């Protein structure tokens, strides 16, 4: 999934979620908790960590940030980071990476607005 709505700013890696982004992340956490994820993984950038932390809290888990999931990540990096974590795994990342990974894995183009989610079997 893509991180929730973030405030503009610089440097990019320190951008935080907006109040709307925080609320969206909390609501997504409630929704995704029904899937009983085994892990919540994320990019190390603040907005992705904040999104993942809200989702993980709703699932009774701790979010796990990994540098390999930062901007520019790909499906192979996700496979590597998620290996041994169980299934399903929630991964919080960035655009255009989310769209490119879904396209490569499924052949379908998917829009990823802030907080956008797609289920993909990697």
């Amino acid at each position: 999934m893509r991180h929730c709505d973030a405030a503009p700013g610089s440097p990019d890696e320190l951008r935080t979620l907006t109040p709307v982004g925080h609320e969206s992340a909390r609501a997504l956490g409630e929704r995704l908790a029904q899937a009983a994820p085994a892990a919540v993984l994320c990019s190390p950038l603040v907005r992705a960590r904040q999104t993942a932390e809200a989702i993980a809290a709703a699932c009774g888990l701790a979010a796990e940030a990994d540098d390999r999931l930062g901007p520019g990540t790909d499906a192979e990096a996700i496979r590597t980071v998620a290996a041994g974590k169980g299934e399903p795994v929630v991964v919080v990342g960035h655009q255009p990476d989310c769209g490119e990974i879904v396209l490569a894995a499924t052949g379908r183009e998917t829009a990823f607005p802030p907080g956008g989610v797609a289920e993909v079997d990697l």
Side-chain angles (χ1 to χ4, degrees):
M1 71 167 286
R2 181 181 179 192
H3 63 79
C4 291
D5 188 57
S10 184
D12 182 62
E13 60 272 4
L14 298 180
R15 292 175 44 216
T16 61
L17 294 182
T18 64
V20 168
H22 281 287
E23 177 56 27
S24 295
R26 186 200 59 72
L28 273 169
E30 290 177 4
R31 188 175 115 211
L32 293 172
Q34 295 175 19
V40 179
L41 311 175
C42 65
S43 158
L45 276 61
V46 173
R47 59 194 180 271
R49 285 196 335 258
Q50 289 176 324
T51 300
E53 287 165 358
I55 291 166
C59 299
L61 301 168
E64 301 175 49
D66 191 296
D67 289 343
R68 296 171 288 184
L69 300 176
T73 196
D74 58 19
E76 188 55 38
I78 291 173
R79 281 186 200 100
T80 300
V81 175
K85 301 284 185 186
E87 292 184 21
V89 173
V90 174
V91 179
V92 181
H94 307 276
Q95 265 302 80
D97 306 332
C98 292
E100 291 169 357
I101 290 165
V102 170
L103 180 61
T106 68
R108 73 178 192 265
E109 291 190 23
T110 304
F112 275 94
V117 177
E119 185 175 340
V120 177
D121 183 7
L122 294 176

